[in-house]
Amino acid sequence: MRLDKYVAQAMQITRSQARTMIARGGITVDGTVCKKADTALKGSEQVCAGETLLGKEEFVYIMLNKPQGVVSASTDKRDVTVVDLLQDAFPRRNLFPAGRLDKTSTGFVLLTDDGAFAHDILAPRKHVPKTYFVTIDTPVTQQMVTAFEQGVTLADGQKMEPATLIPSSTDPYSATVVLRQGVYHQIKRMFGVLDAGVNALHRSAIGGLVLDESLAPGEWRKITEAERQQIIAAQAKG
Ligand code: URA
């Protein structure tokens, strides 16, 4: 592959930006500054921008703190989508949300272009837990805890897998919910059959990976490989 193409892909910049960088002496190949954009790489070279070793990432994984009012889709005619919030930071990638949060819900949305990984964290049989913080319009009761544990039957007759409901120790109207499946509007519908309405719903973790508290609503960052493993580790434990 040509050096300018490699640098553009690795740094998610345009070819012309890569060529400018190369011409200015910003790129080294095997420790030597290389100013020729058309240098042919065999694939074994170490290409660096300053101190940073550039490798072409096969896939991109993003942690986003979804604000209210944004939809979990790639494109939408009316609403701002979670992909819009990335503001073209990855022009050559087809990123999509791995799992949905309702428009009114907030919190952790994982965006990726790795279809197999997305499938793994969503497939019910993989049991990747998703953790939510919920506030309802009536106090959380022991009956609700038991119903979640036993598996709530939704109004349409669908029986949900057992889920965990942990009442908050400080607010009688709030609780943590852990689900291992993802049915449309699941938490709202589960509380619905227990005569409670959901006032706020925030996803705080996917598998063993907790949403970074330093991300304000609408902000995002890449997930490190170690963090990606944390999601998978939770999957292995079921
Ligand atoms: N359950 C819901 O009802 N809504 C969500 O956004 C996620 C889980």
Side-chain angles (χ1 to χ4, degrees):
M1 186 190 289
R2 278 173 58 121
L3 180 60
D4 54 353
K5 184 173 181 194
Y6 184 90
V7 170
Q9 280 189 0
M11 300 187 73
Q12 285 291 304
I13 57 178
T14 63
R15 274 280 193 116
S16 89
Q17 286 169 330
R19 279 196 280 272
T20 305
M21 204 165 172
I22 293 164
R24 287 185 182 154
I27 298 294
T28 59
V29 176
D30 289 336
T32 306
V33 171
C34 180
K35 294 191 175 183
K36 286 181 64 196
D38 63 355
T39 301
L41 299 173
K42 289 197 284 295
S44 52
E45 299 88 345
Q46 294 224 320
V47 180
C48 292
E51 298 289 299
T52 309
L53 180 63
L54 301 182
K56 184 183 171 313
E57 291 168 312
E58 195 178 356
F59 296 115
V60 172
Y61 306 91
I62 305 288
M63 169 191 285
L64 167 79
N65 185 0
K66 186 183 99 57
Q68 269 199 359
V70 171
V71 293
S72 297
S74 302
T75 56
D76 194 272
K77 288 204 188 82
R78 269 195 320 249
D79 293 309
V80 175
T81 71
V82 287
V83 171
D84 292 336
L85 295 178
L86 303 180
Q87 295 187 314
D88 281 334
F90 304 93
R92 290 175 195 80
R93 302 277 184 167
N94 286 321
L95 295 172
F96 58 88
R100 287 172 176 273
L101 269 186
D102 298 340
K103 188 171 166 183
T104 53
S105 302
T106 59
F108 192 169
V109 173
L110 191 133
L111 292 136
T112 186
D113 52 356
D114 182 348
F117 184 72
H119 177 266
D120 272 2
I121 62 171
L122 296 176
R125 67 189 164 75
K126 300 277 184 173
H127 303 297
V128 173
K130 320 279 180 333
T131 307
Y132 299 83
F133 189 72
V134 64
T135 304
I136 59 176
D137 59 5
T138 176
V140 178
T141 63
Q142 184 54 42
Q143 283 87 330
M144 292 175 183
V145 174
T146 307
F148 270 57
E149 227 168 62
Q150 291 174 347
V152 172
T153 301
L154 300 184
D156 66 0
Q158 275 188 86
K159 172 121 162 98
M160 296 295 96
E161 299 285 334
T164 309
L165 178 65
I166 306 164
S168 158
S169 55
T170 52
D171 175 8
Y173 292 83
S174 294
T176 298
V177 176
V178 183
L179 296 184
R180 289 174 184 78
Q181 65 185 142
V183 170
Y184 183 65
H185 285 176
Q186 185 172 344
I187 293 177
K188 290 175 183 159
R189 291 162 78 193
M190 284 165 79
F191 277 112
V193 296
L194 301 170
D195 290 326
V198 169
N199 287 343
L201 185 58
H202 179 82
R203 182 154 66 199
S204 55
I206 299 176
L209 183 58
V210 175
L211 178 65
D212 186 337
E213 280 182 9
S214 70
L215 293 175
E219 288 186 345
W220 57 271
R221 68 162 173 79
K222 277 189 181 180
I223 286 173
T224 65
E225 180 53 25
E227 289 175 327
R228 200 176 72 86
Q229 296 296 333
Q230 278 176 252
I231 297 176
I232 299 166
Q235 169 185 317
K237 277 182 232 136

